[in-house]
Structures are given as C-alpha cells and as structure tokens.
Amino acid sequence: MTPVPDVPAARLSDPVAVRDMADRLNRPDFDRWAARTRATGGCAQPVHLRGHVEYRDKLTGVLLRRFSSGTEPGGTLRVACKTRRASRCPACAETYRADTYQLVRAGLSGGKGVPDTVAEHPAAFVTLTAPSFGPVHTRREKNGKAQPCRPRRDAGTCSHGRPVSCTARHTADDPRLGQPICPDCFDYRAAVLWNAHAPELWRRFTLAVRRQIAKAGGLRVGELRAHLTLSFAKVAEYQRRGLVHFHAVLRLDGPGGPIAPPPAWATYDLLADAVRHAATAVTARTPQSNDVPAHTLTWGEQLDIRPITATGTLTDRAVAGYIAKYATKAAESTGTVDRRIRATDDVNTLPVTDHARRLITACLDLAAVEELAGLRLDQWAHMLGFRGHFSTKSRRYSTTLGRLRADRCAHNEREHHATTGRLPFDDDGVLITTHWNYVGQGLTPGEALLTAALTGRPLPPLDSRHARSPVGRPGPDRR
Ligand SMILES: [Zn+2]
Ligand SMILES: [Zn+2]
Ligand SMILES: [Zn+2]
C-alpha cells in the first residue's frame, strides 16, 4: 500500500477538494492511480485516453500481449499534456524547460550526439528587440539603485492633457511597468502589426546575416553553404509592454553543421559585424489598405551581441539556462490571457490589464481589415498579434526535443519492464497496433492535491480552470 502522501496544508481548507481526495485515496485502485500519476511526471492536466495496444506475431498473427485502458482506474489511460506553458502545467513546462536547456547546451558545449569540438566554434548570444511605439513606464538601475522613470523638466503635457514626465522610481514589481505613460499616445495598431511581422523580420534577419557573411568571405550567397553553416536556436520573450523580442544563439559551423569547424576567416568578430549590419538593414512592410496605412517595420535600436565562451563572462551554461527559462513563458507575463479570444468573449470584461485590453482590441479591429486578413489577428489576439513559434532552431543546431522525449520514453519503458518483469518488445517480428480515443483532460480538485503531493510538483493556481472534472468521468470505477 502506498503511504498516504503529504498534502500542502493551505490547500486543505477547501472541503470539496478534501472530500474528493479522501474518495480517491480510499478506492481499491489507488496504488495503480498513484503509479500512473508518477508516470505522467505530475502533469496538472493529463490527457485521458480510452483504447488499447496489441502486439502480434507478424508471421502467425498470434496475439502476444494486449494492453487495454480498461484495466486502468476510471477505464482511461492518463498521459502527460506536454505543454511548454508554466501557466497551464508547471510539471510539463519544467520538463520542457529542462529539455530546452539540454538542447541549447549541447549546441554550445557538445553532448547528445553533438561533438565536443563545437565549443570552439564562434558563437554569439544576440537579443533583438522591438522599436518604441510610445513611452512606457520603465525601471532603470544605476549601481543597484532605481532611477527616475522618465524625468522631463518643464515638459508639460501631451495632446491628451497627460504629463509626459514620470519621476517615480518604480520597484521591480510595480504593475505600472511596461504600461504606456499615455495610452492614447501609444500606437497600438503599429505595435500588434510589429508582433505579427516579428517572425518575418527574424527570417529576413537570418538571410541578411548569411548574405553579409558571404560578402565578407568574398563568396556569393549561393556558395556559402559549401563553406559554412549558420546554426541558431532562438526563443521569443514578451516584454512587459506587450512586444516580442528574441534571444538567440548564433553559431558558425563547417559545411556539414557542428561536426566540422567553419573556415578560419569566419571568426566571432565577423559574425558580430554581420549581425549588427543585418539587424539595422532589414525591414518588413505591412499591406496597404484604405483604413490602415502601410507600416515599414524594423528592429528596435536596442541590440545586444555578446560572445559565448566556456569560461568567459557569458558561459554556455548561463545562455542555455536563460533561453530555457523563457521557453516556458508565453504572453501571460504581459497581463493577457493564455487562450484564444472567442467570439462570445466580451473584451471589456476579460481579466487582463488595460494595456493588454487595448492591444487585444487593436488585433480584433485590424482583423476586420481585408488586406490584413492573412495575419489572422483575431486568432492570435491573445498573443497580441504574434503567431510565431516560441522556440525554434535551425536544422543543424543540435539534437531535437523529439529525440530527447524519445530517449526519456525508452528509459521509462525499461524501468516499467524492470518493475513488472515483462520483456520489452523490440523484435522486428512483432506487429504493434494501437487504437486510442481522446475522452477528456484534467484532474479533479482532490486529484490535483494528490498529484502535487505524490510528485513534489507545484500545483497550478487554485482558481485555475484545470481544477475541474475531466470529461468522461465518473468512470466505471466510480460507485
Ligand atoms: Zn502536463
Ligand atoms: Zn513611470
Ligand atoms: Zn497622450
């Protein structure tokens, strides 16, 4: 019998959750339920599947083994949701963060199939930002002391009658940070158009870096591939003002990727120059329409380029940690919602900051403009217009998340077989057929408490919409 787990005391004040927890604990299949909970890594919103998997001899068709969800608690198999968003599932987001760390780290110091010699290739940590769409409250520090936000002597007021100066020394958790000093002066439409075009700006940026490197090496762009590869891994991060910026590792490899060094002329300084040039040169133009003038979008002036070394001020370890941390965040940090805005939603009552509400409204307004329909701003309003991937890498950067996941699954399988005494089927002569149906997702309030207690993983917030009964319950084991 599994010992009764410790549950965080603060959560025991909810009588519904406590009754539900006692109910789960007292069921005869609790041990099986607990084992499966551990197998999902403490996922806060596991996917419930009903179905079976069959192993048959390829030649004779004889059934060798059958696993059915019918023997699982509730008649369903629970699998981890695998989200990267910490706001939805802290446990799966932590797995994603750790995998991203391994992936970025392998690309800087070797490992996971990448040779150690990759550490000698020139590599830069680059941050590309968005330009200003209006002054916002900011926190500046000098020698660890907060400086006045935006001091302007005798500056008066803007055309909306608001003071353009802010002399407050904002604390790090001041909710005003990132909010416009005058919302009516802030160009919301241009801001969301910029977010919508950020992936395109990034694409043009990488092309321009390659072009610049080729030029410096006396090559045509088409010839570059035979001499070197520009590999990268990047993450998008939302600034508090609701605009995306990118943190990226850019690395120079030989023609075949990380297995070979780049030519001697392809140095860190050459890479840094190419980045600087490309960041200032590329633009993206938005479509022209009767209602919205065309905007020419560029990167912001703030550009950070630093060398990554094994021992210097910016180590591979620090960079991998930094990128992995941002990989699990979405736009929620800017005060928006972490789900799509539905047609039935009243934007005025959404639980978001005023700034986020104006950004969301700008997306919905622009979505109605025919020429901008391709940006699908209504679908991505909750992301404030950005519809790109949060973390991406070039093909040759290092290993893949899929590969890391497969390795972990194989490891779990081996552990499973070690405990059950069954041999894994890794025989070519075995035919595996699977049939699964999605029947729901989530945990009941009591199950959420038990999951946190059994796995030591944090619980999502109490008011989370995940603390609900999953579809398909009550299951057959419920009396
Ligand atoms: Zn999960
Ligand atoms: Zn301020
Ligand atoms: Zn104003």
Side-chain angles (χ1 to χ4, degrees):
M1 176 72 195
T2 312
V4 176
D6 291 329
V7 172
R11 290 294 180 91
L12 293 175
S13 56
D14 176 1
V16 176
V18 172
R19 210 175 313 122
D20 183 43
M21 187 177 74
D23 180 50
R24 169 52 75 195
L25 265 168
N26 289 324
R27 271 184 245 180
D29 59 10
F30 177 72
D31 282 2
R32 180 73 203 132
W33 185 88
R36 198 58 222 164
T37 296
R38 288 197 192 87
T40 66
C43 177
Q45 49 170 10
V47 176
H48 300 234
L49 302 171
R50 198 162 283 166
H52 62 260
V53 53
E54 286 178 351
Y55 302 82
R56 286 179 187 278
D57 187 301
K58 258 186 195 168
L59 284 177
T60 64
V62 168
L63 182 68
L64 302 170
R65 185 185 153 203
R66 185 173 197 273
F67 168 82
S68 162
S69 61
T71 57
E72 294 284 315
T76 65
L77 178 72
R78 283 165 296 138
V79 296
C81 73
K82 293 196 178 123
T83 184
R84 64 170 188 83
R85 294 181 167 200
S87 59
R88 291 190 183 168
C89 176
C92 291
E94 172 54 24
T95 306
Y96 187 93
R97 192 202 59 74
D99 282 356
T100 304
Y101 178 88
Q102 295 295 339
L103 186 153
V104 175
R105 186 87 202 278
L108 291 170
S109 53
K112 309 275 171 199
V114 182
D116 297 353
T117 47
V118 77
E120 289 148 33
H121 298 193
F125 188 49
V126 176
T127 299
L128 290 158
T129 61
S132 170
F133 294 100
V136 297
H137 292 284
T138 40
R139 180 180 158 85
R140 266 178 274 276
E141 275 192 13
K142 209 168 164 186
N143 306 324
K145 268 191 69 183
Q147 300 298 301
C149 168
R150 193 181 160 80
R152 298 284 186 279
R153 206 188 309 277
D154 309 323
T157 55
C158 69
S159 60
H160 310 99
R162 296 192 180 95
V164 298
S165 165
C166 173
T167 52
R169 294 169 196 266
H170 298 293
T171 55
D173 59 353
D174 191 326
R176 282 178 293 173
L177 288 175
Q179 312 289 302
I181 292 184
C182 170
D184 295 313
C185 283
F186 194 88
D187 192 346
Y188 283 94
R189 289 185 161 199
V192 298
L193 283 172
W194 194 91
N195 276 347
H197 286 82
E200 179 59 18
L201 272 175
W202 169 264
R203 195 184 67 83
R204 293 183 186 193
F205 165 76
T206 56
L207 291 175
V209 172
R210 285 195 182 94
R211 209 161 36 233
Q212 199 61 22
I213 291 172
K215 201 172 143 194
L219 300 164
R220 285 197 304 260
V221 185
E223 298 170 328
L224 190 64
R225 192 194 289 259
H227 296 262
L228 67 76
T229 312
L230 175 72
S231 300
F232 68 82
K234 83 165 201 302
V235 283
E237 186 206 354
Y238 277 86
Q239 297 172 289
R240 282 199 250 223
R241 60 180 172 138
L243 285 143
V244 163
H245 63 186
F246 292 125
H247 303 284
V249 171
L250 297 177
R251 190 187 68 212
L252 298 178
D253 296 330
I259 47 166
W265 55 265
T267 60
Y268 169 79
D269 288 339
L270 181 132
L271 173 64
D273 281 347
V275 165
R276 215 167 286 121
H277 181 273
T280 49
V282 296
T283 60
R285 204 166 154 77
T286 67
Q288 169 95 43
S289 82
N290 288 337
D291 306 314
V292 187
H295 289 70
T296 300
L297 305 170
T298 63
W299 295 109
E301 279 170 26
Q302 257 183 55
L303 170 70
D304 194 43
I305 312 169
R306 284 185 284 168
I308 307 167
T309 56
T311 53
T313 49
L314 191 61
T315 62
D316 49 1
R317 203 182 281 257
V319 168
Y322 199 46
I323 289 199
K325 189 178 98 190
Y326 287 122
T328 61
K329 286 192 180 168
E332 304 91 82
S333 51
T334 65
T336 176
V337 284
D338 76 342
R339 59 160 180 86
R340 289 219 163 137
I341 311 287
R342 292 180 282 258
T344 51
D345 280 323
D346 178 0
V347 177
N348 294 315
T349 58
L350 282 177
V352 298
T353 63
D354 282 343
H355 185 54
R357 198 182 318 280
R358 283 182 181 243
L359 287 161
I360 290 168
T361 304
C363 287
L364 299 177
D365 288 350
L366 291 175
V369 178
E370 200 187 325
E371 290 83 353
L372 301 175
L375 300 175
R376 295 189 293 143
L377 285 165
D378 48 348
Q379 297 292 301
W380 299 98
H382 65 301
M383 303 294 277
L384 316 177
F386 178 66
R387 66 185 190 291
H389 289 287
F390 266 80
S391 49
T392 51
K393 60 174 203 62
S394 61
R395 197 162 55 87
R396 294 245 172 82
Y397 178 77
S398 73
T399 183
T400 64
L401 283 174
R403 170 90 185 275
L404 289 172
R405 272 187 197 136
D407 285 355
R408 193 171 42 246
C409 283
H411 174 77
N412 287 346
E413 273 285 279
R414 277 196 303 278
E415 287 209 328
H416 177 74
H417 292 301
T419 51
T420 58
R422 278 196 292 255
L423 285 171
F425 290 95
D426 52 3
D427 190 331
D428 278 349
V430 176
L431 183 71
I432 304 169
T433 54
T434 57
H435 180 81
W436 295 107
N437 281 323
Y438 173 92
V439 290
Q441 187 173 13
L443 296 168
T444 64
E447 288 174 346
L449 288 177
L450 284 169
T451 297
L454 286 165
T455 60
R457 295 290 201 176
L459 283 157
L462 258 183
D463 57 354
S464 163
R465 76 211 136 80
H466 308 304
R468 56 162 188 204
S469 294
V471 189
R473 297 181 59 92
D477 67 331
R478 189 151 226 171
R479 281 170 295 272

CSV table of all heavy atoms in Angstrom, one decimal, residues 272-323:
chain,number,residue,atom,x,y,z
A,272,ALA,N,29.7,38.9,-35.4
A,272,ALA,CA,29.1,40.0,-34.7
A,272,ALA,C,28.9,41.2,-35.7
A,272,ALA,O,27.8,41.9,-35.6
A,272,ALA,CB,30.0,40.4,-33.6
A,273,ASP,N,29.8,41.5,-36.6
A,273,ASP,CA,29.6,42.5,-37.6
A,273,ASP,C,28.4,42.2,-38.5
A,273,ASP,O,27.6,43.1,-38.8
A,273,ASP,CB,30.9,42.7,-38.4
A,273,ASP,CG,32.0,43.5,-37.7
A,273,ASP,OD1,31.6,44.1,-36.7
A,273,ASP,OD2,33.1,43.4,-38.2
A,274,ALA,N,28.3,41.0,-38.9
A,274,ALA,CA,27.2,40.6,-39.8
A,274,ALA,C,25.9,40.8,-39.1
A,274,ALA,O,24.9,41.2,-39.7
A,274,ALA,CB,27.4,39.1,-40.3
A,275,VAL,N,25.8,40.4,-37.8
A,275,VAL,CA,24.6,40.5,-37.0
A,275,VAL,C,24.2,42.0,-36.9
A,275,VAL,O,23.1,42.4,-37.1
A,275,VAL,CB,24.8,39.9,-35.6
A,275,VAL,CG1,23.6,40.3,-34.7
A,275,VAL,CG2,24.8,38.4,-35.7
A,276,ARG,N,25.2,42.8,-36.6
A,276,ARG,CA,25.0,44.3,-36.4
A,276,ARG,C,24.4,44.9,-37.7
A,276,ARG,O,23.4,45.6,-37.7
A,276,ARG,CB,26.3,45.0,-36.0
A,276,ARG,CG,26.1,46.1,-35.0
A,276,ARG,CD,27.4,46.6,-34.4
A,276,ARG,NE,27.9,45.6,-33.4
A,276,ARG,CZ,29.1,45.0,-33.5
A,276,ARG,NH1,29.9,45.2,-34.5
A,276,ARG,NH2,29.5,44.2,-32.5
A,277,HIS,N,25.0,44.5,-38.8
A,277,HIS,CA,24.6,45.0,-40.1
A,277,HIS,C,23.2,44.6,-40.4
A,277,HIS,O,22.3,45.4,-40.8
A,277,HIS,CB,25.6,44.6,-41.2
A,277,HIS,CG,25.2,45.1,-42.5
A,277,HIS,ND1,24.4,44.4,-43.3
A,277,HIS,CD2,25.6,46.2,-43.2
A,277,HIS,CE1,24.2,45.1,-44.4
A,277,HIS,NE2,24.9,46.2,-44.4
A,278,ALA,N,23.0,43.3,-40.2
A,278,ALA,CA,21.7,42.7,-40.6
A,278,ALA,C,20.5,43.3,-39.7
A,278,ALA,O,19.4,43.6,-40.2
A,278,ALA,CB,21.7,41.2,-40.5
A,279,ALA,N,20.8,43.5,-38.5
A,279,ALA,CA,19.8,44.0,-37.5
A,279,ALA,C,19.3,45.4,-37.9
A,279,ALA,O,18.2,45.8,-37.7
A,279,ALA,CB,20.3,43.9,-36.1
A,280,THR,N,20.2,46.2,-38.5
A,280,THR,CA,19.9,47.6,-38.8
A,280,THR,C,19.3,47.6,-40.3
A,280,THR,O,18.7,48.6,-40.6
A,280,THR,CB,21.1,48.5,-38.7
A,280,THR,OG1,22.2,47.9,-39.3
A,280,THR,CG2,21.4,48.8,-37.2
A,281,ALA,N,19.6,46.6,-41.1
A,281,ALA,CA,19.3,46.7,-42.5
A,281,ALA,C,17.9,46.2,-42.8
A,281,ALA,O,17.3,46.7,-43.8
A,281,ALA,CB,20.3,46.0,-43.3
A,282,VAL,N,17.4,45.2,-42.1
A,282,VAL,CA,16.2,44.5,-42.6
A,282,VAL,C,14.9,45.3,-42.2
A,282,VAL,O,14.9,45.9,-41.1
A,282,VAL,CB,16.1,43.0,-42.1
A,282,VAL,CG1,17.2,42.2,-42.7
A,282,VAL,CG2,16.0,42.9,-40.6
A,283,THR,N,13.9,45.2,-43.1
A,283,THR,CA,12.6,45.8,-42.8
A,283,THR,C,11.5,44.9,-43.3
A,283,THR,O,11.8,44.0,-44.1
A,283,THR,CB,12.5,47.2,-43.6
A,283,THR,OG1,12.6,46.9,-45.0
A,283,THR,CG2,13.5,48.2,-43.2
A,284,ALA,N,10.3,45.1,-42.9
A,284,ALA,CA,9.2,44.4,-43.4
A,284,ALA,C,8.1,45.4,-43.5
A,284,ALA,O,7.9,46.2,-42.7
A,284,ALA,CB,8.8,43.2,-42.4
A,285,ARG,N,7.4,45.3,-44.7
A,285,ARG,CA,6.3,46.3,-44.9
A,285,ARG,C,4.9,45.7,-44.8
A,285,ARG,O,4.7,44.6,-45.4
A,285,ARG,CB,6.5,46.9,-46.3
A,285,ARG,CG,5.9,48.3,-46.5
A,285,ARG,CD,6.4,49.0,-47.7
A,285,ARG,NE,5.5,50.0,-48.2
A,285,ARG,CZ,5.3,51.2,-47.7
A,285,ARG,NH1,6.0,51.5,-46.6
A,285,ARG,NH2,4.4,52.0,-48.1
A,286,THR,N,4.0,46.3,-44.1
A,286,THR,CA,2.7,45.8,-43.9
A,286,THR,C,1.9,46.1,-45.1
A,286,THR,O,2.1,47.2,-45.8
A,286,THR,CB,2.0,46.3,-42.7
A,286,THR,OG1,1.8,47.7,-42.8
A,286,THR,CG2,2.9,46.1,-41.4
A,287,PRO,N,0.8,45.3,-45.5
A,287,PRO,CA,0.0,45.6,-46.6
A,287,PRO,C,-0.7,47.0,-46.4
A,287,PRO,O,-1.1,47.4,-45.3
A,287,PRO,CB,-1.1,44.5,-46.6
A,287,PRO,CG,-0.5,43.4,-45.7
A,287,PRO,CD,0.4,44.1,-44.7
A,288,GLN,N,-0.9,47.7,-47.6
A,288,GLN,CA,-1.6,49.0,-47.6
A,288,GLN,C,-3.1,48.7,-47.7
A,288,GLN,O,-3.6,47.8,-48.4
A,288,GLN,CB,-1.1,49.7,-48.9
A,288,GLN,CG,-1.8,51.0,-49.2
A,288,GLN,CD,-1.2,52.2,-48.6
A,288,GLN,OE1,0.0,52.3,-48.7
A,288,GLN,NE2,-1.9,53.1,-48.1
A,289,SER,N,-3.9,49.5,-47.0
A,289,SER,CA,-5.3,49.5,-47.2
A,289,SER,C,-5.9,50.9,-47.0
A,289,SER,O,-5.2,51.8,-46.6
A,289,SER,CB,-6.0,48.5,-46.1
A,289,SER,OG,-6.2,49.2,-44.9
A,290,ASN,N,-7.2,51.0,-47.3
A,290,ASN,CA,-7.9,52.3,-47.2
A,290,ASN,C,-7.9,52.8,-45.7
A,290,ASN,O,-7.8,54.0,-45.5
A,290,ASN,CB,-9.3,52.3,-47.7
A,290,ASN,CG,-9.3,52.1,-49.2
A,290,ASN,OD1,-8.3,52.5,-49.9
A,290,ASN,ND2,-10.4,51.6,-49.8
A,291,ASP,N,-8.1,51.8,-44.8
A,291,ASP,CA,-8.2,52.2,-43.4
A,291,ASP,C,-6.9,52.3,-42.6
A,291,ASP,O,-6.8,53.0,-41.7
A,291,ASP,CB,-9.1,51.1,-42.7
A,291,ASP,CG,-10.4,50.9,-43.4
A,291,ASP,OD1,-11.0,52.0,-43.8
A,291,ASP,OD2,-10.8,49.8,-43.7
A,292,VAL,N,-6.0,51.5,-43.0
A,292,VAL,CA,-4.7,51.4,-42.3
A,292,VAL,C,-3.5,51.7,-43.2
A,292,VAL,O,-3.4,50.9,-44.2
A,292,VAL,CB,-4.5,50.0,-41.6
A,292,VAL,CG1,-3.3,50.0,-40.7
A,292,VAL,CG2,-5.8,49.6,-40.9
A,293,PRO,N,-2.8,52.7,-43.0
A,293,PRO,CA,-1.6,53.0,-43.8
A,293,PRO,C,-0.6,51.9,-43.7
A,293,PRO,O,-0.5,51.2,-42.7
A,293,PRO,CB,-1.1,54.3,-43.3
A,293,PRO,CG,-1.6,54.5,-41.9
A,293,PRO,CD,-2.9,53.7,-41.9
A,294,ALA,N,0.2,51.7,-44.7
A,294,ALA,CA,1.3,50.7,-44.7
A,294,ALA,C,2.4,51.1,-43.7
A,294,ALA,O,2.7,52.3,-43.5
A,294,ALA,CB,1.9,50.5,-46.0
A,295,HIS,N,2.9,50.2,-42.9
A,295,HIS,CA,3.9,50.5,-41.9
A,295,HIS,C,5.2,49.8,-42.4
A,295,HIS,O,5.2,48.7,-42.8
A,295,HIS,CB,3.6,49.9,-40.5
A,295,HIS,CG,2.5,50.7,-39.9
A,295,HIS,ND1,1.2,50.6,-40.3
A,295,HIS,CD2,2.5,51.5,-38.7
A,295,HIS,CE1,0.4,51.4,-39.4
A,295,HIS,NE2,1.2,51.9,-38.5
A,296,THR,N,6.3,50.5,-42.3
A,296,THR,CA,7.6,49.8,-42.5
A,296,THR,C,8.2,49.5,-41.1
A,296,THR,O,8.5,50.4,-40.3
A,296,THR,CB,8.6,50.8,-43.3
A,296,THR,OG1,8.0,51.1,-44.5
A,296,THR,CG2,9.9,50.1,-43.5
A,297,LEU,N,8.3,48.2,-40.9
A,297,LEU,CA,8.7,47.7,-39.6
A,297,LEU,C,10.2,47.3,-39.5
A,297,LEU,O,10.7,46.8,-40.5
A,297,LEU,CB,7.9,46.5,-39.2
A,297,LEU,CG,6.4,46.8,-39.2
A,297,LEU,CD1,5.6,45.5,-39.1
A,297,LEU,CD2,5.9,47.8,-38.2
A,298,THR,N,10.8,47.7,-38.5
A,298,THR,CA,12.3,47.4,-38.3
A,298,THR,C,12.5,46.8,-36.9
A,298,THR,O,11.6,46.9,-36.0
A,298,THR,CB,13.1,48.7,-38.4
A,298,THR,OG1,12.7,49.6,-37.3
A,298,THR,CG2,12.9,49.4,-39.7
A,299,TRP,N,13.7,46.4,-36.6
A,299,TRP,CA,14.1,46.0,-35.2
A,299,TRP,C,14.3,47.3,-34.4
A,299,TRP,O,14.6,48.4,-35.0
A,299,TRP,CB,15.4,45.2,-35.2
A,299,TRP,CG,15.3,43.9,-35.9
A,299,TRP,CD1,15.9,43.5,-37.1
A,299,TRP,CD2,14.6,42.7,-35.4
A,299,TRP,NE1,15.6,42.2,-37.4
A,299,TRP,CE2,14.8,41.7,-36.3
A,299,TRP,CE3,13.8,42.5,-34.3
A,299,TRP,CZ2,14.2,40.4,-36.2
A,299,TRP,CZ3,13.3,41.2,-34.1
A,299,TRP,CH2,13.5,40.2,-35.1
A,300,GLY,N,14.2,47.2,-33.1
A,300,GLY,CA,14.5,48.4,-32.3
A,300,GLY,C,15.9,48.7,-32.2
A,300,GLY,O,16.8,47.9,-32.7
A,301,GLU,N,16.3,49.8,-31.7
A,301,GLU,CA,17.7,50.2,-31.6
A,301,GLU,C,18.4,49.4,-30.6
A,301,GLU,O,19.7,49.3,-30.7
A,301,GLU,CB,17.8,51.7,-31.3
A,301,GLU,CG,17.6,52.6,-32.5
A,301,GLU,CD,17.4,54.1,-32.1
A,301,GLU,OE1,17.9,54.4,-31.0
A,301,GLU,OE2,16.8,54.8,-32.8
A,302,GLN,N,17.8,48.9,-29.6
A,302,GLN,CA,18.5,48.1,-28.6
A,302,GLN,C,18.9,46.8,-29.2
A,302,GLN,O,18.0,46.0,-29.5
A,302,GLN,CB,17.5,47.9,-27.4
A,302,GLN,CG,17.8,48.7,-26.2
A,302,GLN,CD,16.9,48.4,-25.1
A,302,GLN,OE1,16.8,47.2,-24.7
A,302,GLN,NE2,16.2,49.3,-24.6
A,303,LEU,N,20.2,46.6,-29.3
A,303,LEU,CA,20.7,45.3,-29.9
A,303,LEU,C,21.8,44.9,-29.0
A,303,LEU,O,22.7,45.7,-28.7
A,303,LEU,CB,21.1,45.6,-31.3
A,303,LEU,CG,21.9,44.4,-32.0
A,303,LEU,CD1,21.0,43.3,-32.3
A,303,LEU,CD2,22.6,45.0,-33.3
A,304,ASP,N,21.8,43.6,-28.6
A,304,ASP,CA,22.8,43.1,-27.7
A,304,ASP,C,23.5,41.9,-28.4
A,304,ASP,O,22.8,41.0,-28.8
A,304,ASP,CB,22.2,42.7,-26.3
A,304,ASP,CG,23.2,42.5,-25.3
A,304,ASP,OD1,24.1,43.3,-25.2
A,304,ASP,OD2,23.1,41.5,-24.6
A,305,ILE,N,24.8,42.0,-28.5
A,305,ILE,CA,25.6,40.9,-29.1
A,305,ILE,C,26.7,40.6,-28.2
A,305,ILE,O,27.5,41.5,-27.9
A,305,ILE,CB,26.2,41.3,-30.5
A,305,ILE,CG1,25.1,42.0,-31.4
A,305,ILE,CG2,26.8,40.1,-31.2
A,305,ILE,CD1,25.7,42.6,-32.6
A,306,ARG,N,26.8,39.4,-27.7
A,306,ARG,CA,27.9,39.0,-26.8
A,306,ARG,C,28.5,37.7,-27.2
A,306,ARG,O,27.7,36.7,-27.6
A,306,ARG,CB,27.4,39.0,-25.4
A,306,ARG,CG,27.2,40.4,-24.8
A,306,ARG,CD,26.9,40.4,-23.4
A,306,ARG,NE,25.5,40.0,-23.2
A,306,ARG,CZ,25.0,39.7,-22.0
A,306,ARG,NH1,25.7,39.7,-20.9
A,306,ARG,NH2,23.7,39.4,-21.9
A,307,PRO,N,29.8,37.5,-27.0
A,307,PRO,CA,30.4,36.2,-27.3
A,307,PRO,C,30.0,35.2,-26.2
A,307,PRO,O,30.0,35.5,-25.1
A,307,PRO,CB,31.9,36.5,-27.4
A,307,PRO,CG,32.1,37.7,-26.5
A,307,PRO,CD,30.8,38.5,-26.6
A,308,ILE,N,29.8,33.9,-26.6
A,308,ILE,CA,29.6,32.9,-25.7
A,308,ILE,C,30.8,32.0,-25.6
A,308,ILE,O,31.4,31.6,-26.6
A,308,ILE,CB,28.4,32.0,-26.1
A,308,ILE,CG1,27.2,32.8,-26.4
A,308,ILE,CG2,28.1,30.9,-25.1
A,308,ILE,CD1,26.1,32.0,-27.2
A,309,THR,N,31.3,31.8,-24.4
A,309,THR,CA,32.5,31.0,-24.2
A,309,THR,C,32.3,30.0,-23.1
A,309,THR,O,31.3,30.2,-22.3
A,309,THR,CB,33.7,31.9,-23.9
A,309,THR,OG1,33.4,32.7,-22.7
A,309,THR,CG2,34.1,32.8,-25.0
A,310,ALA,N,33.2,29.1,-22.9
A,310,ALA,CA,33.1,28.1,-21.9
A,310,ALA,C,33.4,28.7,-20.5
A,310,ALA,O,32.8,28.3,-19.5
A,310,ALA,CB,34.0,26.9,-22.1
A,311,THR,N,34.2,29.7,-20.5
A,311,THR,CA,34.7,30.3,-19.2
A,311,THR,C,34.5,31.8,-19.0
A,311,THR,O,34.8,32.3,-17.9
A,311,THR,CB,36.2,30.0,-19.0
A,311,THR,OG1,36.9,30.5,-20.2
A,311,THR,CG2,36.5,28.5,-18.8
A,312,GLY,N,34.1,32.5,-20.1
A,312,GLY,CA,34.1,33.9,-20.0
A,312,GLY,C,32.9,34.5,-19.2
A,312,GLY,O,32.4,33.8,-18.3
A,313,THR,N,32.6,35.8,-19.4
A,313,THR,CA,31.5,36.4,-18.7
A,313,THR,C,30.1,35.8,-19.0
A,313,THR,O,29.2,35.8,-18.2
A,313,THR,CB,31.5,37.9,-18.9
A,313,THR,OG1,31.5,38.1,-20.3
A,313,THR,CG2,32.6,38.6,-18.3
A,314,LEU,N,30.0,35.3,-20.3
A,314,LEU,CA,28.7,34.7,-20.7
A,314,LEU,C,29.0,33.3,-21.1
A,314,LEU,O,29.5,33.0,-22.1
A,314,LEU,CB,28.2,35.5,-21.9
A,314,LEU,CG,26.7,35.1,-22.2
A,314,LEU,CD1,25.8,35.4,-21.1
A,314,LEU,CD2,26.3,35.9,-23.4
A,315,THR,N,28.8,32.4,-20.1
A,315,THR,CA,29.1,31.0,-20.4
A,315,THR,C,28.0,30.2,-21.1
A,315,THR,O,26.8,30.7,-21.1
A,315,THR,CB,29.4,30.2,-19.1
A,315,THR,OG1,28.2,30.2,-18.3
A,315,THR,CG2,30.5,30.9,-18.3
A,316,ASP,N,28.3,29.1,-21.7
A,316,ASP,CA,27.3,28.3,-22.4
A,316,ASP,C,26.2,27.9,-21.4
A,316,ASP,O,25.0,27.8,-21.8
A,316,ASP,CB,27.9,27.1,-23.1
A,316,ASP,CG,28.9,26.3,-22.1
A,316,ASP,OD1,29.0,26.7,-21.0
A,316,ASP,OD2,29.4,25.3,-22.6
A,317,ARG,N,26.6,27.6,-20.2
A,317,ARG,CA,25.6,27.2,-19.2
A,317,ARG,C,24.6,28.3,-18.9
A,317,ARG,O,23.4,28.1,-18.8
A,317,ARG,CB,26.4,26.9,-17.9
A,317,ARG,CG,25.8,26.0,-16.9
A,317,ARG,CD,26.7,25.9,-15.7
A,317,ARG,NE,27.8,25.0,-15.9
A,317,ARG,CZ,27.8,23.8,-15.4
A,317,ARG,NH1,26.8,23.4,-14.7
A,317,ARG,NH2,28.8,23.0,-15.6
A,318,ALA,N,25.1,29.5,-18.8
A,318,ALA,CA,24.2,30.7,-18.5
A,318,ALA,C,23.3,30.9,-19.7
A,318,ALA,O,22.1,31.1,-19.4
A,318,ALA,CB,25.1,31.9,-18.2
A,319,VAL,N,23.8,30.8,-20.9
A,319,VAL,CA,23.0,31.1,-22.0
A,319,VAL,C,21.9,30.0,-22.2
A,319,VAL,O,20.7,30.3,-22.4
A,319,VAL,CB,23.8,31.1,-23.3
A,319,VAL,CG1,22.9,31.0,-24.6
A,319,VAL,CG2,24.7,32.3,-23.3
A,320,ALA,N,22.2,28.7,-22.0
A,320,ALA,CA,21.3,27.6,-22.0
A,320,ALA,C,20.2,27.8,-21.0
A,320,ALA,O,19.0,27.6,-21.3
A,320,ALA,CB,22.0,26.3,-21.9
A,321,GLY,N,20.6,28.3,-19.8
A,321,GLY,CA,19.6,28.5,-18.7
A,321,GLY,C,18.7,29.6,-19.0
A,321,GLY,O,17.4,29.5,-18.8
A,322,TYR,N,19.2,30.7,-19.6
A,322,TYR,CA,18.4,31.8,-20.0
A,322,TYR,C,17.4,31.5,-21.0
A,322,TYR,O,16.2,31.8,-20.9
A,322,TYR,CB,19.4,32.9,-20.5
A,322,TYR,CG,18.9,34.3,-20.5
A,322,TYR,CD1,18.3,34.8,-19.4
A,322,TYR,CD2,19.1,35.1,-21.6
A,322,TYR,CE1,17.9,36.1,-19.4
A,322,TYR,CE2,18.7,36.4,-21.6
A,322,TYR,CZ,18.1,36.9,-20.5
A,322,TYR,OH,17.6,38.2,-20.6
A,323,ILE,N,17.8,30.8,-22.1
A,323,ILE,CA,16.9,30.5,-23.2
A,323,ILE,C,15.8,29.5,-22.7
A,323,ILE,O,14.6,29.7,-23.0
A,323,ILE,CB,17.7,29.9,-24.4
A,323,ILE,CG1,18.4,31.1,-25.0
A,323,ILE,CG2,16.7,29.2,-25.4
A,323,ILE,CD1,18.9,30.9,-26.4
